[in-house]
Every structure is written in structure tokens, then in C-alpha cells.
Amino acid sequence: MAGLVATAMVAVAGTALTPTAHADGSRLPLPAPKAFAGGAYAANRTNPLAGGTWAVNNGFWENGHGLYTDYLAATGAERVYLGREALQPSALWLTINNSYAPTKVPDYLRTVNPTSDPGKLVTLAVFGIWPRGEGSRHTPLTADEQARYRTWIQRVSAGIGGSRVLVALEPDLAITTNGGSDGVRDPRVRQGLARYAAKYFHDHNHRAAVYLDAGASDWLSPAQAAGLLKRSGIAFTRGFSLGITHYTKTAADIAHGAAIVSALAKRGISGKHFVIDTADSGRGYTYGQWAARFGTSGYDNSRNCTAAQTTLCNALGVPPTWQVARSTYVRTLGLTPALTRTARRNVDAYVWLTRPWMYNQASPYQRAKALPAAQFTPFAALY
């Protein structure tokens, strides 16, 4: 620990240098939050993600073995590459197993917002309808597991309180629409739990911008996504999220999100917006493209990019921002005028919910994934 503290005291560009004791036992400087100039777009004046700043994680739950601590210890080009990831706002994943204790969420919020700045946005992913992992989706949830989920949501909500947060609710919710031998045995139960969470946050956390997950542009059709979202409580949320566990191109997700908004309106649910995960979409591709080349295994872990491999690999997309119609973003993403108008009106933000520096997008941290994902991003000029 002494060596770790000494490392933390090194001057870090863009970070505060006073070490602070944090809930996970680390004493690391808190990176400067991401700031944006200007106000919400006229076409999306109610955007809850516009304005203020976005908090950046300082290695909470890493305990000295993760992206941020690796960045602090790095030098030269590797420090530059790791900084592209470590100094961006990204989501802390709350699972029913890692945050069931009532103290976990308030501990994190105090860590990344120690001054209780009301304008600082904290990004969270709430992932709880798979308590035994997605591999056990064939086994229905027990009554005790369902009750535990509702208690957990109540505790997460109490921890959030009046804080300004972005909540990506139940990534991979789209799995509950699967049919056949790969399907979930109790889809309506899990969708009902997501609906419970959506309504509970709506009723108790007035500054929480909640987005139900709707898969990605290469997954559900707009009609399927709209049906899933309606059953899962979209009426109680700001909108939905796209691209969290897939690698689809941002432009494709913008078009797909617009089609879902229209499909929801046809079902009597209007005015919804969406966020798009861009953490790992730098070399965007579909599941079908991956499967045609490599088969159906290994998709979640994605192959590392190399100088010679420019497709079907793991690379950072554009940095998080609510200024989705900035000319630099429009140009580098190749957005058409129509897609730009859609983004300005319906896309609340590009956000980082996936973690391309982790094995299987989940755990543990892998330097061997983090470095090439940042080095071979086609959007280096935006960092």
C-alpha cells in the first residue's frame, strides 16, 4: 500500500493532487470531471444530461489493480493511451452481489463527488436480474431472488437519494425476448422486475435520468424493442440505451434508436430519448459479421486491434458527451444531415457503459486489452 500511495502522489495532468481516503481503501487523486461549454440543444431542451460536469471514477473497487491505478503508474506512450480511457466518465456497474449492502452506493457517490456538487453527474449501470449470471438464464428466478432484487433496488435508490445520476437500467434486458432453446424461461418475471426498478427510481429519485436497455441495432427489431421496453417500464424512464454489450456503429444505433422512438409512439408512449454506448464502437461491427468470420464464441471478449487489423476488433469509440451534434463528432462518425438532426433531437448523450479494458467486458481488468483499444481507436484526435 505504501508504494501505491507514493504513486498516487505523482502529479497527474487533469487530476486533483490531494489524496483522499475512499470507501474501497485506496488513497488516489480524483480526476477532474469532464466539463462542457454551452447549454442544451434547442431541439432537446429537457435533456437531463446537459450542463454541469460529469464525474470520472478514480479506481473505486479496483483496490490497486485496475485501469486507473495502471494509468497512474504508466509512462510515455502507454500513459497517453491509458489516459484516453481512465480520464473519461464511465459507468460503475452495480450488481445485486457487489452493492447489496446499503452503504455501497452512497460510498461511491461520496468518492466521486466529495463536495456534493449538485451539478456533477455520476454514471451507473444497474445490473441485477441475472443474480446467478446470464449463463443460468434457463433457470427461473425463485421467489426469494425476486424479493431480494426489490430490496436491492430500494437500497440503491436510497443511496442515490437526490444525487444527479445517469442510470443504465438492466443491460442485456433484450435477452429476455429470446425464444427457443436459448431462451429465458421466465421473461415476464424479469421484465416485471425491471419495471419495478424503473418505477421505483421514478418515484423516489427525481434527479435520476434512467435509461432501460434496448439492445443494439444488430439485435432486436424496432417493434420487438418497443414491446420489450413497454413491458419493462419505459413509461417511467427518460428513455432507453443502445449498444452496451454489442460493438455496433454509432450511426447505425442513431438510426435504430429513432425507429424505436417511432415504434414506442405507435404504442402510445411518446417523447422518449436515448443514449448510445460508444466505449467500444471504434471499429464498429455487427454480431453477424463477427459470427461469419470467427463463429459464435468469444464475441463478448472481442479481439484486440493491431495496426494491420482495422475491423472486427476492440477499439475505443468517441468520448462521452451530451454534445452529440458537435461538428467534430458529426464528421468523424460520418453522420448524414438527417442523422445529425436525429441526434440533436433524440440522443441525450454518447456514454461509456461498456468496459473494453476488461475481460469479457466484465472482469478482471486486462492491460493487454486496454492498451490496443486506446492505441488503435480511429478517434484519437477527439481525446
Side-chain angles (χ1 to χ4, degrees):
M1 179 60 72
L4 179 59
V5 173
T7 299
M9 295 296 289
V10 175
V12 179
T15 65
L17 296 182
T18 302
T20 305
H22 295 309
D24 66 341
S26 67
R27 292 175 58 85
L28 301 179
L30 187 65
K34 189 164 187 177
F36 307 91
Y41 295 128
N44 189 6
R45 291 189 183 280
T46 61
N47 185 357
L49 309 183
T53 61
W54 289 12
V56 179
N57 189 357
N58 71 328
F60 193 83
W61 283 341
E62 288 186 2
N63 292 312
H65 304 285
L67 173 64
Y68 186 63
T69 47
D70 196 14
Y71 159 73
L72 288 177
T75 59
E78 291 188 350
R79 186 182 183 85
V80 173
Y81 298 144
L82 294 173
R84 290 174 180 171
E85 296 162 316
L87 300 182
Q88 294 295 330
S90 60
L92 183 75
W93 280 58
L94 304 176
T95 72
I96 199 167
N97 297 317
N98 72 13
S99 58
Y100 191 76
T103 57
K104 294 296 186 180
V105 175
D107 279 350
Y108 179 62
L109 294 176
R110 281 192 295 269
T111 296
V112 294
N113 191 9
T115 63
S116 299
D117 179 358
K120 183 181 282 190
L121 178 76
V122 178
T123 306
L124 304 170
V126 172
F127 185 67
I129 61 173
W130 317 100
R132 284 167 277 138
E134 293 174 0
S136 299
R137 61 185 176 274
H138 307 299
T139 304
L141 295 174
T142 66
D144 285 346
E145 287 174 326
Q146 295 173 50
R148 190 168 189 263
Y149 179 90
R150 289 188 286 269
T151 299
W152 174 62
I153 290 298
Q154 294 169 17
R155 291 179 174 184
V156 170
S157 171
I160 291 172
S163 298
R164 185 185 183 214
V165 297
L166 184 165
V167 175
L169 182 56
E170 294 302 345
D172 275 353
L173 180 64
I175 293 177
T176 63
T177 66
N178 285 0
S181 61
D182 190 46
V184 173
R185 295 294 181 265
D186 55 351
R188 295 298 188 268
V189 169
R190 298 184 202 244
Q191 292 164 12
L193 290 175
R195 182 182 182 88
Y196 174 87
K199 187 175 188 302
Y200 201 91
F201 290 136
H202 174 272
D203 292 347
H204 297 88
N205 306 103
H206 69 285
R207 300 192 73 215
V210 180
Y211 300 86
L212 266 170
D213 194 54
S217 57
D218 63 343
W219 198 342
L220 305 180
S221 71
Q224 288 175 317
L228 168 67
L229 292 170
K230 184 173 183 178
R231 293 189 298 272
S232 304
I234 190 71
F236 303 110
T237 73
R238 169 70 181 179
F240 55 93
S241 58
L242 291 172
I244 296 181
T245 59
H246 282 217
Y247 307 93
T248 41
K249 292 182 179 179
T250 302
D253 280 332
I254 293 173
H256 186 62
I260 295 174
V261 169
S262 295
L264 285 168
K266 291 178 181 178
R267 288 163 173 75
I269 301 174
S270 59
K272 295 303 174 182
H273 296 75
F274 55 100
V275 295
I276 298 174
D277 177 74
T278 60
D280 57 2
S281 59
R283 304 290 181 185
Y285 55 90
T286 67
Y287 179 80
Q289 290 171 326
W290 170 274
R293 177 75 180 276
F294 302 116
T296 57
S297 63
Y299 175 76
D300 283 342
N301 202 37
S302 188
R303 293 177 176 243
N304 289 343
C305 292
T306 66
Q309 182 185 22
T310 58
T311 61
L312 297 177
C313 60
N314 184 41
L316 300 181
V318 296
T321 184
W322 60 264
Q323 295 175 324
V324 295
R326 282 177 53 192
S327 59
T328 51
Y329 279 68
V330 169
R331 183 173 62 255
T332 55
L333 289 170
L335 301 186
T336 64
L339 286 178
T340 303
R341 288 192 295 272
T342 296
R344 188 180 288 111
R345 179 180 63 250
N346 293 116
V347 179
D348 283 346
Y350 301 141
V351 292
W352 278 16
L353 304 168
T354 308
R355 298 158 296 179
W357 47 87
M358 306 282 266
Y359 175 76
N360 266 351
Q361 307 177 22
S363 184
Y365 166 73
Q366 292 190 326
R367 183 185 182 87
K369 292 189 71 66
L371 285 171
Q375 180 179 0
F376 296 111
T377 175
F379 304 110
L382 296 178
Y383 288 87

